[in-house]
Amino acid sequence: MPTPDQPTLFCYDGSDESRRALASVVGMLASSSAIVLTVWQPLTARLTEAGGFGVFALEEESEVDDQERDAAREAAEDGAARAREIGFEAQARVEQANGPVWQAIVDVANEIDAGLIVCGTRGRGTVRTALLGSTSHAVLQHAGRPVLVSPEPHGS
């Protein structure tokens, strides 16, 4: 069971699902300490994980990765600000995943000894929905600590 000195790890990508997950635990937790985590993947890692391939000039790949990292930083800061608005002592954190996103989440949870991992059921966009929908399932399977998956509301 989570203790008051263990932070809650919120998985956050800026989607409606991740916003709902963040709000879903208000008033339920013993700890007000939170880490809002956004994980991003370099283009080559995303293509490899999706089973795709592509030929990109190194310069273009670097540009895409820079945009992804910047978007992740913005999402994490947005999530931390939202968490602070609802009463958490929240810090934003961005991690690069060269493998599966779920592994990066579990690694961070282990590093910070999270009392609870909170995530939504889906991410943004068609490809991300497929990847991040399976991410919450993989986190459940591999975390070895409490995980709360906030579902979409009925009728969505």
Side-chain angles (χ1 to χ4, degrees):
M1 197 60 149
T3 64
D5 61 330
Q6 290 179 293
T8 300
L9 179 64
F10 289 96
C11 305
Y12 190 86
D13 66 1
S15 66
D16 288 342
E17 291 80 12
S18 66
R19 287 186 190 122
R20 272 194 292 277
L22 182 67
S24 71
V25 296
V26 172
M28 295 173 42
L29 303 177
S31 175
S32 64
S33 174
I35 303 296
V36 178
L37 173 67
T38 302
V39 177
W40 73 279
Q41 289 180 300
L43 182 59
T44 53
R46 283 186 287 148
L47 290 172
T48 300
E49 190 168 295
F53 62 92
V55 178
F56 297 92
L58 185 57
E59 192 172 302
E60 290 171 355
E61 181 180 335
S62 175
E63 195 172 306
V64 169
D65 288 348
D66 289 346
Q67 291 170 357
E68 285 291 312
R69 183 177 30 257
D70 291 346
R73 189 174 300 112
E74 287 177 25
E77 291 294 340
D78 172 66
R82 288 172 186 271
R84 286 188 289 272
E85 286 174 6
I86 58 176
F88 288 98
E89 296 170 16
Q91 297 176 25
R93 180 159 174 178
V94 176
E95 288 294 322
Q96 176 180 325
N98 292 314
V101 170
W102 69 262
Q103 184 67 61
I105 293 168
V106 170
D107 289 347
V108 170
N110 290 337
E111 176 192 324
I112 67 169
D113 190 26
L116 176 67
I117 301 170
V118 178
C119 54
T121 53
R122 298 190 318 175
R124 295 180 292 181
T126 306
V127 173
R128 289 202 127 176
T129 294
L131 293 175
L132 292 178
S134 62
T135 297
S136 57
H137 179 74
V139 169
L140 278 167
Q141 296 299 311
H142 299 281
R145 63 185 65 243
V147 177
L148 183 143
V149 179
S150 179
E152 290 183 70
H154 289 337
S156 293

